[in-house]
Amino acid sequence: MAKRDYYEVLGVPKNASKDDIKKAYRKLAIQYHPDKNPGNKEAEDKFKEATEAYEILGDDQKKSAYDQFGFAGVDGMAGQGDFSQTFRGFEDIFGDFSGIFDTFFGGGGRRSSGSGGVRQGANLRYDIEIPFKDAVFGTKVEIQYTKNDACPTCKGTGAANGSGKKVCPVCQGSGQVRHSQGFFSVASPCHNCRGEGYIIEQPCRDCGGGGTQRKRQKIMVTIPAGVENGKRVAIPRQGDAGPGGGPPGDLYVFIRIKPHDYFERQDLDLYCAVPISITQAALGAEIHVSTLDGKNLKVKVPPGTPNGRLLRIRDEGVPSGTRRGSFWIKLLVRVPEKLSKRGRELLEEFSKTEGENDSPKPIALADMGEQ
Ligand SMILES: [Zn+2]
Ligand SMILES: [Zn+2]
């Protein structure tokens, strides 16, 4: 199915304010919320669609990427992250829907570890921008972020010293309650235990029974050489701690690469353009060109070089395992804009010696200048 434009999904104009976007999403989210439309697949799809649109348009950075490049600009940004993370800040608008988002999106935060119903914590997302050169050769970046960490007092269990868990009396441990809706019976997360299936007899004082606390943490992230724009680096177990002592989720570091002033990249090859004079092009020359890592290369310009000729230097491109791509130098022949008196005389003499064709035959545009 073709994707609908995010502005169309939310029914707002392109110049809508942040507030209008939020209001439009709130209206749709309430209308199509799975709580209000149990078992209704169409409402569920509409709700997901609106949520994805809001995930992009509600975030200044993602919105501007979407405005500039459309879906390509935000590819992989929506839906891959953790929704409970996105919504953590919106409890004021929606009330506590966490139980619903959990079961609804079924993301990485919901894998069961198989031991007594404890669940894995949420995956987290962190965005960084790195210089072009660091993306080519790899780097280490220290990042700081806040996550839910296991409460040290109760070791993440949420239970005060010595007390245990008991099966939730409302759902008998299933974590779900069923209601009748006409002919249907519909399951939704149990509110008494927030879908956990058990309740803690004596909640830990330090974390209120949740088993987690917010913690700021610093970690070193290794960015591999040759990383591509928009790719992510997964750091296992550095996401949120699981509720009730469950295993932590993962941290995903999304990478954006700052463009370089003059180097460009295509897969494993690097490109740059270098101006040369008409005499260097005609007579041939030896020039010096810096590589991205600052090496000074001696490069031979062959006599009779046409404008746009590409010179290939092997093994000076992007590293990948044991090999490297090529470095391509595009030679741009510069015609002098101003001539000295002497320069003019010499060129006039050259013109006389060589003769000029005053009726040149047209050639195909594709052959023009470059080769
Ligand atoms: Zn605790
Ligand atoms: Zn329950």
Side-chain angles (χ1 to χ4, degrees):
M1 194 179 77
K3 249 183 152 172
R4 285 206 297 154
D5 172 61
Y6 289 146
Y7 290 98
E8 191 188 315
V9 169
L10 295 185
V12 292
K14 283 225 150 77
N15 59 3
S17 71
K18 219 172 164 168
D19 220 40
D20 290 341
I21 291 171
K22 197 178 193 173
K23 271 188 203 144
Y25 171 62
R26 184 182 190 273
K27 210 176 131 214
L28 291 169
I30 288 171
Q31 183 182 351
Y32 294 115
H33 199 280
D35 231 12
K36 284 199 175 169
N37 303 274
N40 180 341
K41 182 80 175 68
E42 197 188 323
E44 180 183 320
D45 288 343
K46 284 229 157 92
F47 183 73
K48 280 183 180 172
E49 194 185 25
T51 300
E52 184 184 320
Y54 183 68
E55 229 204 342
I56 300 300
L57 300 186
D59 177 304
D60 291 340
Q61 222 168 46
K62 292 178 194 166
K63 179 176 184 294
S64 114
Y66 179 71
D67 288 345
Q68 280 183 65
F69 308 110
F71 289 118
V74 293
D75 193 27
M77 284 187 184
Q80 285 198 351
D82 187 88
F83 281 93
S84 61
Q85 188 64 6
T86 309
F87 285 97
R88 193 174 276 153
F90 289 94
E91 287 180 1
D92 57 332
I93 315 181
F94 296 113
D96 184 10
F97 279 175
S98 54
I100 287 133
F101 283 111
D102 291 348
T103 48
F104 194 70
F105 290 106
R110 300 303 132 204
R111 275 171 275 160
S112 169
S113 71
S115 58
V118 291
R119 295 176 321 192
Q120 189 178 39
N123 295 334
L124 299 178
R125 170 182 179 138
Y126 191 95
D127 288 275
I128 53 170
E129 190 177 58
I130 58 171
F132 184 89
K133 189 176 162 184
D134 287 351
V136 170
F137 299 113
T139 186
K140 280 185 159 55
V141 183
E142 188 184 70
I143 64 168
Q144 260 193 68
Y145 65 106
T146 308
K147 65 168 188 171
N148 285 343
D149 209 30
C151 165
T153 312
C154 61
K155 302 199 167 49
T157 60
N161 267 353
S163 84
K165 297 170 176 179
K166 68 173 183 199
V167 171
C168 170
V170 174
C171 61
Q172 270 85 43
S174 70
Q176 292 190 329
V177 285
R178 303 190 77 85
H179 331 254
S180 297
Q181 294 266 332
F183 296 108
F184 304 103
S185 166
V186 179
S188 66
C190 169
H191 285 284
N192 190 47
C193 61
R194 295 170 154 241
E196 303 284 355
Y198 60 85
I199 45 178
I200 289 158
E201 287 176 312
Q202 241 188 296
C204 164
R205 279 195 175 175
D206 289 342
C207 62
T212 59
Q213 59 177 21
R214 299 294 282 162
K215 187 191 158 200
R216 190 117 184 105
Q217 104 159 357
K218 269 188 202 170
I219 57 165
M220 212 47 142
V221 181
T222 303
I223 312 288
V227 71
E228 283 173 52
N229 196 31
K231 286 275 163 16
R232 60 187 199 181
V233 173
I235 301 159
R237 304 180 66 83
Q238 293 301 326
D240 278 346
D250 302 332
L251 172 69
Y252 290 100
V253 178
F254 281 72
I255 294 157
R256 234 180 5 257
I257 302 174
K258 256 185 248 168
H260 195 276
D261 285 344
Y262 45 88
F263 280 98
E264 283 182 36
R265 176 174 159 191
Q266 182 82 54
D267 302 322
L268 293 184
D269 288 349
L270 290 173
Y271 290 81
C272 85
V274 179
I276 55 170
S277 71
I278 46 173
T279 39
Q280 283 174 316
L283 305 173
E286 197 171 76
I287 57 171
H288 297 267
V289 180
S290 283
T291 60
L292 181 60
D293 43 340
K295 230 184 275 170
N296 196 7
L297 291 181
K298 248 189 221 167
V299 179
K300 272 210 164 72
V301 176
T305 286
N307 182 41
R309 171 175 276 180
L310 280 165
L311 298 180
R312 179 180 198 174
I313 318 281
R314 287 177 193 275
D315 298 322
E316 291 292 348
V318 181
S320 168
T322 53
R323 61 191 204 99
R324 284 183 73 167
S326 295
F327 175 35
W328 296 84
I329 301 166
K330 188 172 191 174
L331 298 171
L332 298 177
V333 180
R334 289 280 175 254
V335 177
E337 287 176 26
K338 273 187 192 159
L339 287 171
S340 64
K341 191 163 170 279
R342 176 78 182 129
R344 186 164 190 95
E345 281 166 14
L346 288 171
L347 282 181
E348 277 170 353
E349 194 165 326
F350 171 80
S351 172
K352 268 182 228 154
T353 339
E354 295 293 310
E356 302 286 3
N357 181 1
D358 57 9
S359 316
K361 275 220 176 85
I363 54 169
L365 278 175
D367 297 337
M368 202 178 69
E370 312 209 350
Q371 74 170 39

